[in-house]
Amino acid sequence: MLLSLPALHLQTSEYHPLFQLPHGRLGPWCSPTGSPAPLSCETGCGEGSWILVCRLLVPTQVSLLSMEEDIDTRKINNSFLRDHSYATEADIISTVEFNHTGELLATGDKGGRVVIFQREQESKNQVHRRGEYNVYSTFQSHEPEFDYLKSLEIEEKINKIRWLPQQNAAYFLLSTNDKTVKLWKVSERDKRPEGYNLKDEEGRLRDPATITTLRVPVLRPMDLMVEATPRRVFANAHTYHINSISVNSDYETYMSADDLRINLWNFEITNQSFNIVDIKPANMEELTEVITAAEFHPHHCNTFVYSSSKGTIRLCDMRASALCDRHTKFFEEPEDPSNRSFFSEIISSISDVKFSHSGRYIMTRDYLTVKVWDLNMESRPIETYQVHDYLRSKLCSLYENDCIFDKFECVWNGSDSVIMTGSYNNFFRMFDRNTKRDVTLEASRENSKPRAILKPRKVCVGGKRRKDEISVDSLDFSKKILHTAWHPSENIIAVAATNNLYIFQDKVN
Amino acid sequence: MEGPESAMAVVAGLRTPENVTCVLPRGTMFARGLKRKCWDGDEDVEGAPAAPSYSLQRQSLLDMSLVKLQLCHTLVEPNLCRSVLIANTVRQIQEEMTQDGAWQLPAPPVAGRGPLDHLVSTEILCRAAWEQQGQRPAPDLPSELPGALGAPAPGSAQSCIWEADSSRGHRGSFPKSLDQIFETLESRAPSPVEGLFADAGGPYYDLDAVLTGMVGGKSGPGGGDGLQALAPAGAPPPSASCKRDLGELDHVVEILVET
């Protein structure tokens, strides 16, 4: 059941009574300030009030378009008309990240491209467009490379993007593939200097003897141009595949983590980095554990965490020693004997770790659950949420088809009160930490129309399947939501589903 | 190098002390249909090992894991996390099989050489490339290295023994020890020599080649052909396992296609 919102409802800041919750019953999604959202719609299940704002395609063509065509693309993006059945492997989105203000949203794809979207400026007569994002800049961040010494191809796929806090008019972001991290500057230009006579049209210096007068160049307005320029290339420091990058709160350094090591870089220095974690055994035969993700504490520049394939999290303090081989804290949950199987270790492997904005909590995602840990308690997580527990009985098949190794990521909302992560069948899940309510939503072209309210989905577990429920056996495991992002201060989320980027927002917005 | 030895190599890689010499008791090949049934909707895997199907399932899981490892091995740079998790799963299964005695040697090793010798020689073959470069002097290894490099002639006493056993349906197609697999994972910087072989063995990295290797369609390494023996990764030394149940092969292909 899809509720398509008539324009009437969208153009007013008031909400329709139909969608108002009974008194005292708060919507599950809290506003960033921590106060409950005033509204949640009744969609039958009473959970969730998200509407699709726009579906953005990040297809090859966008990057190949000229400026003029780019404008066309925007229209198309917003009209939801285009059917891109010809999306290729390279178009698959491999990372999504809002910048610190939420004004920009960057995606990276398997083809090595970065596409940056900018939020539509608010205007009185276009209230309904609020929250829409349009293509701002597209550039090829990484190219496929070949390492001749190792006889090895290096994929161009963008594994992670991290924004730097904005310090001037330009934006900076880090992007990484398996081996190389790059610092990109994205800046606008709407004027150009004209009237130089020291150089000719092609920029070559003229023979000084031919110059008889000195002309002062003038700045003339031109069409707005967004330029992306690579400012630093941090290469040759990783033997294994980089899985994480994280900007430190000192804004001067960042770290990059691969399967076995974590390196610390200064933004200004590309030819050396410090190795701060190294778990590579002298004898690789003894290797039983790898680093799966790492992140700096949001406020304490000396502290970072990394997660492992054994389901543990280590918190390290760089003040303790330069090489953080010894952790300061070790978070591990004792294994539940009743759930033991050959797959126990595989499903406990952590695919993502994220500090809460407050810095008090850590969230980890493993194959079947999301866990929230309190930094002050190492023995077990304070909260555990089942993402798709119905898959527990399917682990054999998921092992056979390799889905069990999928790396789902997880994100916090702006106030750390809601967490979101992906699942299969284009489903994604949200968990409200306060009300303990959860919802399953779907990001798919077929089922969502612009401004329509997302209908909560339900997977049927055993027994009789009710109408509107999906049975476990009919889930499409090729449609997985691995990457999502939450606006830093508003209830706007970006969900990457293969080559589509969906932007949803809380209906109140 | 024959199949059973390879199976032993796996054992060796895992270093299960008591049972280092065992060959998997693989009397049954799962037929395609049967196997499917085992896996789909099966919830007993975690259960107590009561039914005979449990051991069959466990065996299938082991097989599947070994195939996966084998495939990881064919990649120059496999997904390390995945490889480690699969390898740990194999270790776990083998540990359990050791405990309930499923990991028993059906035919006691014969002939002058002790089982450990077999293992050693298998390992030599596995490590040949590294040994050659002298990058990794293996202490337990031997003077017999050059001979081993030449690969045992098909008619050698050693292979005869194992050939006799081959009707049991050994897993000659997975001749990878974890040792070897991890060494490949580790082999980030191949020496020029290795690079040369890697080049020569380019096609070996194809899935096709792996399949071929599994079918045993490739001719064995010639008596003195060190080159072939050195061919890295994906070229599983051809085994004499032509008698392999076709059903299993089907299944392997299926896995390959699916992944």
Side-chain angles (χ1 to χ4, degrees):
Chain A
M1 177 182 66
L2 272 178
L3 289 182
S4 208
L5 267 183
L8 172 72
H9 296 155
L10 294 164
Q11 287 175 352
T12 166
S13 58
E14 301 296 314
Y15 41 82
H16 193 283
L18 244 184
F19 296 110
Q20 192 172 13
L21 283 172
H23 179 71
R25 186 174 162 205
L26 300 176
W29 320 123
C30 295
S31 68
T33 52
S35 61
L39 169 81
S40 187
C41 70
E42 289 288 352
T43 56
C45 302
E47 308 220 72
S49 58
W50 293 83
I51 54 173
L52 176 66
V53 177
C54 45
R55 180 170 65 89
L56 302 155
L57 289 153
V58 195
T60 324
Q61 66 189 62
V62 170
S63 59
L64 302 177
L65 289 174
S66 69
M67 294 265 294
E68 264 174 68
E69 288 165 316
D70 215 15
I71 294 163
D72 288 341
T73 315
R74 292 185 187 191
K75 284 183 197 145
I76 291 161
N77 280 341
N78 297 339
S79 65
F80 307 93
L81 292 174
R82 198 66 160 259
D83 182 25
H84 290 273
S85 47
Y86 48 84
T88 64
E89 175 85 4
D91 298 328
I92 295 174
I93 298 172
S94 52
T95 182
V96 190
E97 191 77 9
F98 278 104
N99 75 344
H100 295 260
T101 61
E103 186 207 348
L104 300 181
L105 173 67
T107 64
D109 65 26
K110 288 199 172 177
R113 286 170 309 237
V114 170
V115 180
I116 300 173
F117 299 92
Q118 186 182 38
R119 190 170 183 185
E120 184 93 348
Q121 299 300 313
E122 264 186 79
S123 68
K124 281 264 157 64
N125 47 7
Q126 281 192 313
V127 181
H128 66 281
R129 297 196 60 156
R130 210 177 147 227
E132 278 191 19
Y133 282 76
N134 296 313
V135 175
Y136 179 65
S137 171
T138 302
F139 57 94
Q140 188 75 35
S141 169
H142 287 70
E143 301 274 359
E145 284 178 75
F146 192 81
D147 185 330
Y148 292 95
L149 288 177
K150 296 181 187 173
S151 188
L152 143 76
E153 258 180 81
I154 302 169
E155 273 185 274
E156 66 272 33
K157 177 187 160 214
I158 307 296
N159 291 343
K160 282 277 155 49
I161 290 176
R162 287 291 177 266
W163 290 91
L164 274 65
Q166 193 174 1
Q167 281 162 332
N168 53 36
Y171 303 98
F172 287 87
L173 64 81
L174 287 172
S175 63
T176 185
N177 68 351
D178 283 342
K179 305 281 177 176
T180 304
V181 184
K182 293 183 181 178
L183 176 68
W184 288 89
K185 177 186 180 183
V186 181
S187 54
E188 294 183 359
R189 193 197 290 181
D190 59 357
K191 294 186 182 62
R192 67 160 176 263
E194 273 178 17
Y196 277 115
N197 65 341
L198 297 177
K199 293 174 183 171
D200 64 14
E201 289 75 27
E202 276 141 36
R204 284 178 301 227
L205 278 179
R206 286 179 203 269
D207 178 4
T210 64
I211 301 172
T212 52
T213 56
L214 186 63
R215 263 208 320 246
V216 179
V218 288
L219 288 175
R220 294 212 186 280
M222 59 175 227
D223 286 341
L224 180 69
M225 212 171 77
V226 181
E227 294 175 314
T229 41
R231 300 307 295 266
R232 302 273 186 278
V233 177
F234 306 89
N236 305 321
H238 284 279
T239 306
Y240 301 91
H241 292 174
I242 298 176
N243 52 46
S244 308
I245 44 178
S246 176
V247 176
N248 196 347
S249 56
D250 64 12
Y251 302 163
E252 288 184 359
T253 55
Y254 76 92
M255 69 173 164
S256 54
D258 69 22
D259 297 312
L260 299 178
R261 299 191 180 103
I262 301 179
N263 293 329
L264 180 68
W265 301 84
N266 186 298
F267 281 114
E268 299 300 323
I269 301 165
T270 58
N271 60 0
Q272 59 176 323
S273 68
F274 295 97
N275 178 239
I276 49 175
V277 174
D278 188 344
I279 63 163
K280 182 176 183 290
N283 182 353
M284 279 290 272
E285 290 165 34
E286 289 156 19
L287 180 67
T288 58
E289 186 175 15
V290 298
I291 298 168
T292 53
E295 194 181 49
F296 268 118
H297 189 282
H299 314 305
H300 302 152
C301 64
N302 56 296
T303 311
F304 67 93
V305 291
Y306 68 92
S307 60
S308 93
S309 59
K310 282 194 187 293
T312 61
I313 309 124
R314 289 173 175 83
L315 182 137
C316 301
D317 184 351
M318 292 193 287
R319 293 173 303 188
S321 67
L323 184 61
C324 299
D325 276 348
R326 277 201 223 132
H327 49 261
T328 304
K329 287 189 181 224
F330 182 70
F331 301 85
E332 185 180 31
E333 185 175 29
E335 193 181 29
D336 175 6
S338 65
N339 267 338
R340 238 194 91 73
S341 81
F342 286 126
F343 303 109
S344 297
E345 182 180 330
I346 300 182
I347 61 171
S348 69
S349 174
I350 294 177
S351 52
D352 196 16
V353 61
K354 292 271 168 63
F355 269 108
S356 63
H357 295 89
S358 67
R360 167 78 187 268
Y361 305 103
I362 313 171
M363 165 167 55
T364 57
R365 171 72 209 260
D366 57 40
Y367 191 60
L368 295 179
T369 68
V370 196
K371 290 172 182 162
V372 177
W373 305 74
D374 188 327
L375 278 193
N376 300 319
M377 185 165 76
E378 297 165 68
S379 57
R380 61 173 191 277
I382 53 167
E383 293 154 32
T384 300
Y385 301 96
Q386 300 297 334
V387 178
H388 38 214
D389 200 49
Y390 44 82
L391 296 183
R392 196 175 283 281
S393 61
K394 304 277 171 204
L395 291 177
C396 276
S397 312
L398 293 162
Y399 179 67
E400 185 169 2
N401 65 15
D402 261 5
C403 281
I404 205 169
F405 301 107
D406 286 334
K407 297 193 81 176
F408 291 99
E409 294 171 6
C410 51
V411 291
W412 297 90
N413 74 336
S415 60
D416 298 336
S417 60
V418 182
I419 56 187
M420 171 170 65
T421 190
S423 176
Y424 293 103
N425 206 48
N426 277 344
F427 287 174
F428 57 99
R429 304 262 289 145
M430 290 184 187
F431 304 93
D432 187 306
R433 300 179 57 212
N434 299 322
T435 65
K436 301 296 173 198
R437 288 165 61 180
D438 63 276
V439 67
T440 305
L441 300 172
E442 179 177 5
S444 80
R445 195 164 50 208
E446 294 79 21
N447 297 339
S448 43
K449 297 191 176 68
R451 318 310 293 191
I453 289 189
L454 284 192
K455 185 188 169 308
R457 309 304 303 250
K458 211 161 177 146
V459 177
C460 150
V461 192
K464 212 176 166 197
R465 187 170 72 89
R466 279 185 302 184
K467 197 168 162 279
D468 291 342
E469 285 188 352
I470 303 111
S471 88
V472 181
D473 295 318
S474 55
L475 294 175
D476 185 342
F477 288 94
S478 67
K479 293 179 177 165
K480 38 192 118 181
I481 308 252
L482 302 175
H483 317 283
T484 59
W486 202 305
H487 189 287
S489 57
E490 289 178 44
N491 280 339
I492 296 178
I493 55 170
V495 176
T498 330
N499 69 321
N500 288 286
L501 181 68
Y502 291 88
I503 309 229
F504 302 102
Q505 68 179 41
D506 196 342
K507 202 179 76 69
V508 205
N509 278 326
Chain B
M1 182 167 93
E2 303 302 324
E5 293 172 16
S6 313
M8 287 170 42
V10 173
V11 185
L14 295 167
R15 305 201 189 293
T16 30
E18 326 83 279
N19 288 298
V20 187
T21 57
C22 298
V23 171
L24 293 170
R26 299 259 341 262
T28 38
M29 286 295 154
F30 38 81
R32 194 177 181 173
L34 169 62
K35 199 249 142 204
R36 284 260 146 226
K37 231 192 275 166
C38 293
W39 287 105
D40 286 351
D42 161 67
E43 280 159 49
D44 292 342
V45 184
E46 295 111 78
S53 75
Y54 175 81
S55 61
L56 183 64
Q57 286 160 11
R58 187 172 58 187
Q59 187 65 58
S60 309
L61 183 60
L62 181 63
D63 291 343
M64 196 198 299
S65 306
L66 290 168
V67 171
K68 283 178 186 290
L69 273 186
Q70 167 79 30
L71 288 174
C72 289
H73 187 46
T74 62
L75 301 170
V76 184
E77 241 189 8
N79 175 340
L80 194 62
C81 181
R82 180 174 170 273
S83 315
V84 165
L85 288 171
I86 297 173
N88 287 351
T89 307
V90 171
R91 283 192 181 95
Q92 207 185 327
I93 297 172
Q94 290 199 332
E95 208 169 286
E96 196 188 284
M97 289 175 92
T98 308
Q99 273 166 14
D100 45 88
W103 200 266
Q104 282 302 330
L105 181 67
V110 217
R113 311 184 89 197
L116 276 172
D117 289 338
H118 283 298
L119 281 173
V120 170
S121 63
T122 311
E123 289 213 275
I124 292 169
L125 284 175
C126 295
R127 297 181 175 193
W130 288 273
E131 305 296 320
Q132 279 269 305
Q133 300 159 29
Q135 275 186 355
R136 193 179 245 279
D140 48 332
L141 259 210
S143 38
E144 51 183 301
L145 175 60
L149 273 179
S156 74
Q158 201 183 343
S159 46
C160 282
I161 294 161
W162 294 109
E163 226 143 61
D165 192 46
S166 66
S167 53
R168 313 185 68 93
H170 53 70
R171 73 160 48 57
S173 49
F174 317 121
K176 293 298 167 228
S177 73
L178 282 182
D179 283 1
Q180 191 188 357
I181 283 155
F182 277 112
E183 289 202 22
T184 311
L185 297 181
E186 190 181 27
S187 66
R188 302 289 139 186
S191 76
V193 180
E194 203 188 352
L196 194 68
F197 286 129
D199 252 0
Y204 288 129
Y205 289 102
D206 296 349
L207 285 187
D208 285 359
V210 177
L211 283 173
T212 321
M214 282 173 180
V215 189
K218 273 207 176 98
S219 63
D225 192 356
L227 228 168
Q228 281 249 6
L230 280 172
S239 65
S241 59
C242 304
K243 296 158 201 160
R244 172 168 314 288
D245 186 303
L246 274 177
E248 185 179 20
L249 180 66
D250 275 357
H251 175 62
V252 168
V253 173
E254 208 172 278
I255 291 178
L256 293 178
V257 171
E258 278 175 15
T259 46

